[in-house]
Amino acid sequence: MDSSYKKLLKVMTLFGSVQGLSIVMNLVRAKFAAELLGPAGVGLNSIYNETREFIHSTTNIGMDQSGTREIARNSDTEELADSVTLTRSWIMILAAFGMLATIVFAYPLSWMLFSDSNHIWQLIMLSPAVAFSTITCGEMTVLRGLQKMKTIAGVSVLHVALGVATTIPLYYIWGMDGIIAALVLMTFSLAVITVIYSYRAYPPKFCFAKVFLAKGYQMLVLGTSFVVAGFIANLGKLGVKAYINVNGSLEDVGLYSAGLTLSLMISNVVFASLDNDFFPRLSSIFKDKNQRRLAIIRQTKLGLAIIIPVVIAAIILMPWAVPILLSEEFSPIVPMAQIATTGLIFRALYLPAALVPMAAGEPKIYLLLQAVSYMSFVPAVILGYHYGGVTGTGIGLLINHIMDVLVNLTVLKWRYL
């Protein structure tokens, strides 16, 4: 194995190990949540959490991606300082905007998600969690742009540990009534710990002068496409859960969410290094076509080599693992989770390619790819649920992954290789 593969494997091992530890702690949290909340509570928590993510990713105007790219491209000390300050200043503004947007749209969201107005105050109380999520995301953006891999790994572990420590006690005390409070406390804790480590890596400085903020115009233009793509993605995810809730039950939402979470946990072991290492590295070398091509090929080949045995092991162990990790109530998700996990092989094929338009600074292509992806995701999962229940959603996810491979690799070959 040459030095490039060794370095890449070292980074993937670092973040894979972090994700492995994170998975263990997330499974502990999922186990307690399943026992304390039941499928209905897990479904309700999933809807609120997806709503928080939907508003946060929409109102942060893609600064997590455009900010990473901007910081990673600047090696000059003065330019780097301006990029970090600019990113942090905009993030604080967008955090306040996200909080306000949550309050303003609480009424229509309640009707969209629950077909009634009984959850308005719960959604309003969710607003601080949106702001804290944006701050956390912004400081992680700074760390990614600076390529502080070890710091990111350490913070990621602390995030999961805090997630367990802040949510389980509230679930135990208040049950389903503690879901909103747990989300707010968890996001606040994550924001605090991320700020501490990020400020250590690069001292804090903010500037809210109009002239200075105007320098972020290019980041906002690029970020707008990311946020539209994020809006499409999160609206699709939220729409699927709303459909299952309205046409099925909250229990089915919980089962679908638990199966999807298991699949994503497995994928994170392999794919965690993409956002934290591959994207900023690709952004910094993108102008060199040969280096760009080699980076994409190496990332894809190594990802496939690791994910295939992981997927096989997961499929075999799933029937025994689900009752132990969650509870017997979640046993119906086994076939769905096995099918969805198979799709991770296809995910390894297209994920590096999907990040290329972002590194290239071509938001229209990235937006188009995201739109096409969710044009297949939403109908595939909804039709899967309609005809096959929770198991059918796994088939829908697999079909979506296959479609993503065809589309992303076609664009990669046509435009970037």
Side-chain angles (χ1 to χ4, degrees), residues 54 57-58 225-236 366-367 370:
F54 169 62
S57 62
T58 302
S225 292
F226 294 152
V227 80
V228 173
F231 178 85
I232 294 170
N234 286 290
L235 186 61
Y366 174 73
L367 179 58
Q370 287 292 301

Side-chain angles (χ1 to χ4, degrees), residues 43-55 102 105-120 122-124 126 180 183 234-250 253:
L44 185 63
N45 180 68
S46 174
I47 288 175
Y48 281 136
N49 199 41
E50 200 73 65
T51 302
R52 173 198 60 79
E53 180 60 29
F54 169 62
I55 300 173
T102 309
F105 290 102
Y107 181 80
L109 280 170
S110 181
W111 276 101
M112 173 188 168
L113 298 170
F114 302 99
S115 300
D116 59 44
S117 59
N118 298 331
H119 296 79
I120 294 174
Q122 288 91 330
L123 289 166
I124 290 174
L126 190 66
I180 294 292
L183 278 172
N234 286 290
L235 186 61
K237 294 174 186 176
L238 201 55
V240 166
K241 290 180 179 179
Y243 176 86
I244 296 173
N245 185 33
V246 173
N247 294 275
S249 66
L250 202 53
V253 176

Side-chain angles (χ1 to χ4, degrees), residues 46-261:
S46 174
I47 288 175
Y48 281 136
N49 199 41
E50 200 73 65
T51 302
R52 173 198 60 79
E53 180 60 29
F54 169 62
I55 300 173
H56 148 66
S57 62
T58 302
T59 56
N60 77 355
I61 319 203
M63 290 295 283
D64 50 335
Q65 300 293 350
S66 59
T68 297
R69 179 176 179 270
E70 184 67 22
I71 294 170
R73 293 174 66 204
N74 289 319
S75 56
D76 180 79
T77 304
E78 186 175 344
E79 290 179 352
L80 179 62
D82 279 351
S83 296
V84 174
T85 301
L86 190 62
T87 300
R88 281 176 167 162
S89 301
W90 270 110
I91 284 296
M92 294 305 293
I93 294 171
L94 296 172
F97 177 56
M99 186 173 179
L100 179 62
T102 309
I103 296 171
V104 171
F105 290 102
Y107 181 80
L109 280 170
S110 181
W111 276 101
M112 173 188 168
L113 298 170
F114 302 99
S115 300
D116 59 44
S117 59
N118 298 331
H119 296 79
I120 294 174
W121 282 108
Q122 288 91 330
L123 289 166
I124 290 174
M125 289 187 290
L126 190 66
S127 59
V130 174
F132 296 141
S133 296
T134 299
I135 293 170
T136 300
C137 184
E139 294 305 328
M140 289 297 285
T141 294
V142 173
L143 292 174
R144 280 196 298 269
L146 297 172
Q147 299 188 45
K148 299 289 186 179
M149 297 299 114
K150 291 183 179 179
T151 303
I152 293 171
V155 171
S156 298
V157 172
L158 289 173
H159 279 183
V160 185
L162 286 169
V164 175
T166 55
T167 57
I168 300 306
L170 296 183
Y171 293 161
Y172 179 78
I173 296 169
W174 291 320
M176 289 177 65
D177 292 334
I179 289 174
I180 294 292
L183 278 172
V184 173
L185 180 59
M186 179 183 72
T187 52
F188 172 73
S189 302
L190 301 189
V192 170
I193 199 69
T194 308
V195 163
I196 290 172
Y197 277 87
S198 180
Y199 285 7
R200 285 179 182 173
Y202 208 94
K205 185 180 178 182
F206 300 89
C207 181
F208 298 102
K210 291 183 179 180
V211 175
F212 182 74
L213 291 174
K215 294 181 181 180
Y217 174 75
Q218 291 299 326
M219 281 199 298
L220 292 177
V221 170
L222 181 60
T224 299
S225 292
F226 294 152
V227 80
V228 173
F231 178 85
I232 294 170
N234 286 290
L235 186 61
K237 294 174 186 176
L238 201 55
V240 166
K241 290 180 179 179
Y243 176 86
I244 296 173
N245 185 33
V246 173
N247 294 275
S249 66
L250 202 53
E251 286 77 7
D252 281 353
V253 176
L255 293 172
Y256 165 74
S257 300
L260 186 61
T261 299

Side-chain angles (χ1 to χ4, degrees), residues 8 12 22-23 26 38 100 114 131 153 168 203 228 244 300 309 328 336 344 384 391 399 402:
L8 182 56
M12 291 184 72
S22 298
I23 284 172
N26 271 322
L100 179 62
F114 302 99
I168 300 306
V228 173
I244 296 173
T300 304
E328 289 291 343
M336 175 265 187
L344 299 182
T391 300
I399 292 171
I402 294 171

